Amino acid sequence: MKIDEFRPRLARWTGSTNRITQHMIGGRDPSVINLSGGLPAPEVYPLAAIAAATQRALARFGAQAVAYGPVEGMPALRSAIAARLSGPRQKFSVANVLITTGSLQGVELLGKILLEPGETILAQHPTYLGALDAWRPREPSYRILDWNADEARLGAELRAAKFAYVVPNFSNPTGALVPVEARERLVRAGRTADTVIVEDDPYGALFYDGDAPPSALELSGDGGRGDTYRGPVVYLGTLSKTVAPGLRIGWAVGDPSVIAALSLAKQGADLCTSTFNQAVALELLEAGVERETLPAMIARYRARRDAIVTATRQYLHNSFEFTPPSGGMFLWLKSRDPAIDTDALWQAALAEGVMFCPSSVFDPSGRDTSAIRLNFTLNEETKLVEGVRRLAAALQRRS
Amino acid sequence: MKIDEFRPRLARWTGSTNRITQHMIGGRDPSVINLSGGLPAPEVYPLAAIAAATQRALARFGAQAVAYGPVEGMPALRSAIAARLSGPRQKFSVANVLITTGSLQGVELLGKILLEPGETILAQHPTYLGALDAWRPREPSYRILDWNADEARLGAELRAAKFAYVVPNFSNPTGALVPVEARERLVRAGRTADTVIVEDDPYGALFYDGDAPPSALELSGDGGRGDTYRGPVVYLGTLSKTVAPGLRIGWAVGDPSVIAALSLAKQGADLCTSTFNQAVALELLEAGVERETLPAMIARYRARRDAIVTATRQYLHNSFEFTPPSGGMFLWLKSRDPAIDTDALWQAALAEGVMFCPSSVFDPSGRDTSAIRLNFTLNEETKLVEGVRRLAAALQRRS
């Protein structure tokens, strides 16, 4: 028998995937300041509330809390999500909601049900790397969505794509907030083109300088006439940024026909999302955990945003330009100097003890080395300032 | 704007998937006796142990228990799985283990990393429908694995396929136990052909009439010389059948090169398995929950197996033949009468108040209507007998 030589052939797409994510979310080296992931501050997790919710969930649901559950999710949790999103513009019903194992699973399942191998996605550029990863096995092509295009142009772009993917609230990675008029144009064009618009909204609760504009989902509603949404937007939400990512509870909300197709894909992905975690999530939502924790979380993140903006102006102004974000988790720094290669800078920065996310991982072609993404929610202010200082030192050393 | 007419084009494979699974695991109509799913008895779930493990996990890991974790899984849980599988034939290390969101996720990720669209899988026939579902988006071809083929023939079949998929312990759906000699032949052929052998083992602890033979994974080890497994078998395990499926904790164990590729696929599927559930699973394993609950579970399931075997002999002997299974969760009934169409019988049986799984869903072509699968673990004896009686009534009504 051959030993130590087992080398199966792998599918082609596995050669194209990024290896940064594993550093971002798995990194545990305490000497490195991690500015790379979309990670919440660990001190905001409501541990006591989760412990209490677990006991209540087991008492309330008994064996059902640890059994297999419906593929689409626990009816009570689907109802709670439908109620939470319902408003004057649109009512949602259980048929509009699929519970997912984190909102990334919704991203992945949408690619599966909509794309034939090689088909086209219309996406903001740069694009969330988790979405690029999720769709790699379908080997899609990408076209760049121009938020400023008129409705006719958007319609043509949508008809040429299998779906559009947008993050209107603090676009990952750029942190940009898309104005309501642009959302409305896209929604009208999507309806005319019968093309799905995937609206990924993990950061929708994290507004630091004002209120959230209506989502594309709300803007595409029927004005409150029906009790079940029928339209082109599939909205992805999550507890990962406002409660705790380790529960892996997300939801996809959309037209019942799309939800039914997503359920078929989910039955072949993980059968159902953990019923245990769904029951805990339901208890947390019913107890109003987000209402209780969000104000302090937002105050904390606002202070951190302010700290990283100040430090970046102080240490990196000569090398990078940026727009301070009004919410979310990220600062997007565009290089002023074409000689800066941010992939090379990643290695240099790691040697200085700081980790960021280079722009190449947000580019479907992997070639953009002109920018970097910094997270400001995981670390407290002094660490953020020290991280930016180390990044400046890495830049210095290179030049 | 058009309303009520949103109809996006879906990917081709969505037209081929089965709609039985949603009935099996989601069915909640108490008047229907559910003999269709691979569902454990709800009364065996160790609810008190899970409640206690949750509190210990939150105290031990704090914020880490609800944060994002490494894509591959919590190191302590990976270690525990490696230790549990290690024995005189092979030692396993952390590099051999990926934690998955239920073992079905392992099945799905293997299809993703190994198959180009349309490539070939060598599988037992009939085949677990969850696996067929998981791979539908890759639109594979299937060839039938003949366990009685000699090593040269097996090698040729393996070289013509991207991987083999087997369930040697109580093959789903047939309940058949594959003899050790056949496992050895397949393992030797797999090593020579450098072809992955996926060994799915959800039922490996559920032996009612004797001890388990060595797994293909064990048989493909290096005899205890190395501390990291390197070989063709990728073994899938789970807590779903011995502890509780609602935790969605499974594991894939294999060559480090395969585990690394699976991790890349997992990062695009759900980023990581719930750290909360991983921490709870670790506490449960460390507390020896399976050692405590398995003997009573096995006694219970053995009595149920005996009851369904007796009832089937009594009520269905004229219509179906079967071999009593020595473990697992299923009885596989092959029709003696070519005129019986088990898809049609499914509808008739539902009208009588009993649900089973028809053979068509275990056939990649969907055409086999000659057999049915009955589960005997979910319901207590009197319900099993009544379910079989209803099935006989449905048969009677049709003829």
Side-chain angles (χ1 to χ4, degrees):
Chain A
M1 271 197 194
K2 294 182 292 172
I3 298 282
D4 288 8
E5 288 180 34
F6 180 66
R7 285 289 171 272
R9 281 174 304 141
L10 298 175
R12 203 164 45 221
W13 72 268
T14 59
S16 75
T17 196
N18 94 80
R19 288 170 192 268
I20 298 281
T21 300
Q22 312 214 352
H23 289 279
M24 288 197 307
I25 72 169
R28 290 280 180 275
D29 177 351
S31 72
V32 174
I33 298 176
N34 183 354
L35 306 181
S36 65
L39 305 185
E43 59 271 30
V44 305
Y45 297 136
L47 290 177
I50 291 171
T54 304
Q55 303 310 303
R56 289 200 306 277
L58 285 167
R60 174 174 170 186
F61 292 103
Q64 264 197 55
V66 297
Y68 287 110
V71 176
E72 304 87 341
M74 282 181 65
L77 182 59
R78 296 168 75 201
S79 280
I81 301 299
R84 165 197 176 105
L85 288 169
S86 290
R89 294 169 190 269
Q90 176 67 51
K91 304 279 181 293
F92 296 89
S93 75
V94 165
N96 293 127
V97 182
L98 173 78
I99 304 300
T100 58
T101 306
S103 60
L104 184 64
Q105 184 182 53
V107 171
E108 200 263 347
L109 297 179
L110 281 158
K112 256 188 197 152
I113 65 160
L114 293 171
L115 292 174
E116 303 297 351
E119 284 189 331
T120 299
I121 298 167
L122 182 66
Q124 291 170 275
H125 186 90
T127 302
Y128 168 46
L129 83 165
L132 297 179
D133 280 346
W135 298 322
R136 282 185 214 282
R138 308 301 281 174
E139 299 182 286
S141 304
Y142 287 87
R143 289 180 66 88
I144 297 177
L145 172 73
D146 176 5
W147 281 108
N148 297 316
D150 64 25
E151 199 181 315
R153 170 79 195 293
L154 279 171
E157 290 284 348
L158 285 165
R159 272 186 295 274
K162 216 51 183 299
F163 63 90
Y165 175 72
V166 297
V167 190
N169 290 331
F170 316 115
S171 314
N172 188 345
T174 66
L177 183 64
V178 174
V180 66
E181 299 74 22
R183 300 177 190 215
E184 282 171 337
R185 270 198 308 276
L186 183 67
V187 160
R188 281 196 305 267
R191 217 189 256 280
T192 309
D194 254 353
T195 301
V196 169
I197 295 165
V198 180
E199 178 179 37
D200 197 0
D201 192 24
Y203 313 111
L206 303 179
F207 272 78
Y208 310 137
D209 303 324
D211 286 336
S215 64
L217 181 73
E218 289 175 82
L219 294 170
S220 70
D222 66 4
R225 281 166 289 162
D227 60 4
T228 297
Y229 172 82
R230 304 196 186 266
V233 175
V234 181
Y235 175 93
L236 302 176
T238 177
L239 290 186
S240 292
K241 309 305 180 187
T242 55
V243 180
L247 295 175
R248 309 308 296 125
I249 294 291
W251 46 88
V253 177
D255 190 279
S257 68
V258 178
I259 296 301
L262 287 171
S263 302
L264 287 176
K266 184 168 170 65
Q267 112 187 358
D270 63 2
L271 279 174
C272 63
T273 291
S274 167
T275 43
F276 187 55
N277 297 6
Q278 290 187 69
V280 170
L282 178 64
E283 288 289 339
L284 288 167
L285 290 176
E286 287 182 358
V289 68
E290 286 176 304
R291 274 194 306 280
E292 263 176 40
T293 54
L294 259 177
M297 187 186 299
I298 285 175
R300 186 183 296 263
Y301 289 169
R302 184 190 292 119
R304 292 181 180 187
R305 188 264 324 255
D306 293 345
I308 202 169
V309 163
T310 304
T312 303
R313 285 194 177 126
Q314 181 180 349
Y315 292 110
L316 296 172
H317 178 76
N318 289 337
S319 310
F320 291 99
E321 58 183 11
F322 70 100
T323 306
S326 58
M329 294 192 158
F330 305 113
L331 206 64
W332 180 248
L333 307 185
K334 288 201 285 195
S335 159
R336 298 179 191 276
D337 175 359
I340 292 179
D341 173 329
T342 52
D343 276 354
L345 183 61
W346 190 84
Q347 288 293 347
L350 198 59
E352 289 287 338
V354 63
M355 192 156 56
F356 63 82
C357 226
S359 51
S360 58
V361 302
F362 303 106
D363 176 7
S365 78
R367 283 194 298 257
D368 178 357
T369 56
S370 70
I372 69 179
R373 187 190 76 175
L374 301 182
N375 166 269
F376 58 80
T377 54
L378 175 68
N379 296 284
E380 40 99 8
E381 286 91 319
T382 53
K383 273 199 145 178
L384 289 174
V385 175
E386 172 61 14
V388 171
R389 202 201 54 73
R390 290 182 187 179
L391 187 49
L395 262 173
Q396 204 66 34
R397 181 181 294 247
R398 285 188 62 259
S399 53
Chain B
M1 272 198 195
K2 294 180 293 171
I3 298 282
D4 287 10
E5 287 179 35
F6 180 65
R7 285 290 171 271
R9 281 174 305 140
L10 299 176
R12 204 164 46 219
W13 73 266
T14 59
S16 76
T17 197
N18 95 80
R19 287 169 192 269
I20 297 282
T21 299
Q22 311 213 355
H23 289 280
M24 288 198 306
I25 72 169
R28 290 282 180 272
D29 177 351
S31 73
V32 174
I33 297 176
N34 183 353
L35 306 181
S36 66
L39 305 185
E43 60 271 32
V44 305
Y45 297 137
L47 291 176
I50 291 171
T54 305
Q55 302 311 303
R56 290 200 307 275
L58 285 167
R60 175 174 169 186
F61 292 103
Q64 264 197 54
V66 297
Y68 288 109
V71 176
E72 303 87 343
M74 282 181 62
L77 183 58
R78 296 169 75 202
S79 280
I81 300 298
R84 163 198 178 101
L85 289 169
S86 291
R89 293 171 191 269
Q90 177 66 53
K91 305 278 181 296
F92 296 90
S93 75
V94 164
N96 293 127
V97 182
L98 174 79
I99 304 300
T100 57
T101 305
S103 60
L104 184 63
Q105 184 180 55
V107 170
E108 199 263 346
L109 297 179
L110 281 159
K112 257 187 196 152
I113 66 161
L114 292 171
L115 293 173
E116 303 298 351
E119 284 190 330
T120 299
I121 297 167
L122 183 66
Q124 291 169 276
H125 186 88
T127 302
Y128 168 46
L129 83 165
L132 297 179
D133 280 347
W135 299 322
R136 282 185 214 282
R138 308 301 281 174
E139 299 184 285
S141 304
Y142 287 87
R143 290 181 65 89
I144 297 178
L145 172 72
D146 176 5
W147 281 110
N148 296 315
D150 64 24
E151 200 181 315
R153 171 78 195 292
L154 280 170
E157 291 284 348
L158 285 165
R159 272 187 295 273
K162 215 52 183 297
F163 63 90
Y165 174 71
V166 296
V167 190
N169 291 331
F170 316 116
S171 314
N172 188 344
T174 67
L177 183 65
V178 174
V180 66
E181 299 73 23
R183 301 177 189 213
E184 282 172 337
R185 270 198 307 277
L186 182 67
V187 160
R188 281 196 303 268
R191 218 191 255 276
T192 309
D194 255 355
T195 301
V196 170
I197 296 165
V198 179
E199 178 179 37
D200 197 359
D201 192 25
Y203 313 112
L206 302 179
F207 272 79
Y208 311 137
D209 304 323
D211 286 334
S215 65
L217 181 73
E218 289 176 82
L219 293 170
S220 70
D222 66 3
R225 281 168 289 163
D227 59 3
T228 298
Y229 173 82
R230 307 202 182 260
V233 177
V234 181
Y235 175 95
L236 302 176
T238 177
L239 290 186
S240 292
K241 309 305 181 186
T242 55
V243 180
L247 295 174
R248 311 306 297 124
I249 293 292
W251 45 90
V253 177
D255 191 278
S257 68
V258 178
I259 296 300
L262 287 171
S263 304
L264 287 175
K266 185 169 170 65
Q267 112 186 359
D270 63 3
L271 279 174
C272 63
T273 291
S274 167
T275 42
F276 187 55
N277 298 6
Q278 289 187 71
V280 171
L282 179 64
E283 288 289 339
L284 288 168
L285 290 176
E286 287 181 357
V289 67
E290 286 176 304
R291 274 194 305 280
E292 263 176 39
T293 56
L294 258 179
M297 185 186 299
I298 285 176
R300 187 183 296 263
Y301 289 169
R302 186 190 292 119
R304 292 180 180 187
R305 189 267 321 256
D306 293 344
I308 202 169
V309 163
T310 303
T312 303
R313 284 194 178 128
Q314 181 180 350
Y315 291 111
L316 296 171
H317 179 75
N318 289 336
S319 311
F320 291 99
E321 58 183 11
F322 70 100
T323 305
S326 58
M329 294 193 158
F330 305 115
L331 206 62
W332 181 247
L333 307 185
K334 287 201 285 196
S335 160
R336 297 179 191 275
D337 176 359
I340 293 178
D341 173 328
T342 51
D343 277 354
L345 183 62
W346 190 85
Q347 289 292 347
L350 198 59
E352 290 286 338
V354 63
M355 191 156 56
F356 63 81
C357 225
S359 50
S360 58
V361 302
F362 303 106
D363 176 8
S365 78
R367 284 194 298 257
D368 179 357
T369 56
S370 70
I372 69 179
R373 187 190 77 175
L374 300 183
N375 166 269
F376 58 79
T377 54
L378 175 67
N379 296 285
E380 40 100 8
E381 285 92 319
T382 53
K383 272 200 146 177
L384 290 174
V385 174
E386 173 61 14
V388 172
R389 203 200 55 72
R390 290 182 187 179
L391 186 50
L395 262 173
Q396 204 67 34
R397 180 180 296 248
R398 287 188 59 259
S399 51

